[in-house]
Amino acid sequence: MKAQALADHLAENPVDEEYEPLKTYFPDEEVMHINELEQAKEPGWKLFFDRAANIKGVGKGAVLISKIGHHYPVTAQLRFYYTNNMAECEACILGLRLAADMGVQEVLVLGDSDLLVHQIQGEWEIRDLKLIPYRQYLHDLCQWFRSVEFRHIPRIHNEVADALATLASMLHHPDKAYVDPLHIQVRNQHTYYNVVKK
């Protein structure tokens, strides 16, 4: 609203002597902020998944995060015909199988594919016939858990799974190659800072 329009409105509608301001009561008006994530009871384990495609190939990645914050990454390269949605399903299955193999009972599954999340939950219809077997397999896989919840998240909050999928899509390695899990160190000082001079 433009300031001049507000000024014109107030000038045309002056307040008379009988005017009384509204006296409203807002329950919990002393509460300044509510954090929805803290209020909602969430499973301790979280699973992020994503797929990546580029000129070198297609990869899928997932990272399972424990209650105490340990990260368990898993990646794979796809070497068969796929669509983007099929690759997303493949990434979700990769992460859920890791969680099932580790004996996780309750997991919150987070992905940036709005379509996949809504189709798994049965909220949206599956029109692509190639996705029907994936939905059935995901449904069967979810029976292994006591509790599975799917949520859509923005792409910016799915960086680790996206990076794993991108890494898998770009690396050319022989079949059945094993690369040790990445250990990422945090450096707060320059490398040369702690060099001991002899």
Side-chain angles (χ1 to χ4, degrees):
M1 177 182 242
K2 291 189 176 182
Q4 187 60 45
L6 180 59
D8 291 343
H9 175 74
L10 292 173
E12 292 173 6
N13 300 296
V15 177
D16 57 9
E17 294 88 30
E18 297 176 11
Y19 172 78
E20 291 183 24
L22 288 174
K23 294 179 182 173
T24 57
Y25 170 71
F26 296 103
D28 299 326
E29 64 184 7
E30 68 277 357
V31 176
M32 297 293 290
H33 174 71
I34 297 175
N35 189 344
E36 293 179 18
L37 293 177
E38 290 177 359
Q39 284 190 342
K41 185 181 178 188
E42 293 183 353
W45 289 80
K46 294 180 181 176
L47 172 65
F48 293 84
F49 69 93
D50 203 2
R51 59 106 186 122
N54 56 48
I55 197 165
K56 293 188 176 184
V58 177
K60 57 183 179 177
V63 60
L64 184 63
I65 303 175
S66 72
K67 296 177 183 180
I68 58 173
H70 289 160
H71 289 58
Y72 301 94
V74 61
T75 63
Q77 202 174 63
L78 302 182
R79 294 183 180 173
F80 55 85
Y81 171 77
Y82 60 87
T83 64
N84 288 339
N85 292 327
M86 288 169 63
E88 287 282 354
C89 289
E90 287 278 342
C92 183
I93 289 169
L94 180 70
L96 281 172
R97 290 188 62 176
L98 172 66
D101 291 345
M102 292 181 64
V104 174
Q105 293 295 310
E106 297 180 353
V107 64
L108 175 61
V109 183
L110 304 157
D112 58 31
S113 172
D114 199 29
L115 177 72
L116 176 65
V117 169
H118 287 289
Q119 286 180 340
I120 290 172
Q121 294 174 338
E123 297 170 356
W124 291 358
E125 177 184 346
I126 296 179
R127 294 186 179 166
D128 186 353
L129 296 178
K130 293 181 288 298
L131 296 179
I132 293 174
Y134 282 107
R135 185 179 189 289
Q136 184 59 47
Y137 185 78
L138 281 165
H139 176 73
D140 295 343
L141 191 56
C142 288
Q143 303 305 312
W144 289 51
F145 301 93
R146 186 180 328 130
S147 169
V148 178
E149 182 182 345
F150 290 87
R151 280 197 207 155
H152 174 257
I153 58 171
R155 178 174 291 276
I156 195 166
H157 296 289
N158 205 17
E159 293 171 332
V160 176
D162 182 51
L164 290 169
T166 302
L167 182 64
S169 71
M170 296 183 76
L171 290 178
H172 292 286
H173 51 77
D175 293 338
K176 298 183 181 179
Y178 178 77
V179 178
D180 284 330
L182 298 172
H183 178 73
I184 300 171
Q185 299 177 353
V186 176
R187 300 290 186 198
N188 294 324
Q189 297 173 342
H190 300 283
T191 305
Y192 57 80
Y193 187 79
N194 289 326
V195 175
V196 178
K197 293 183 180 178
K198 295 181 182 181

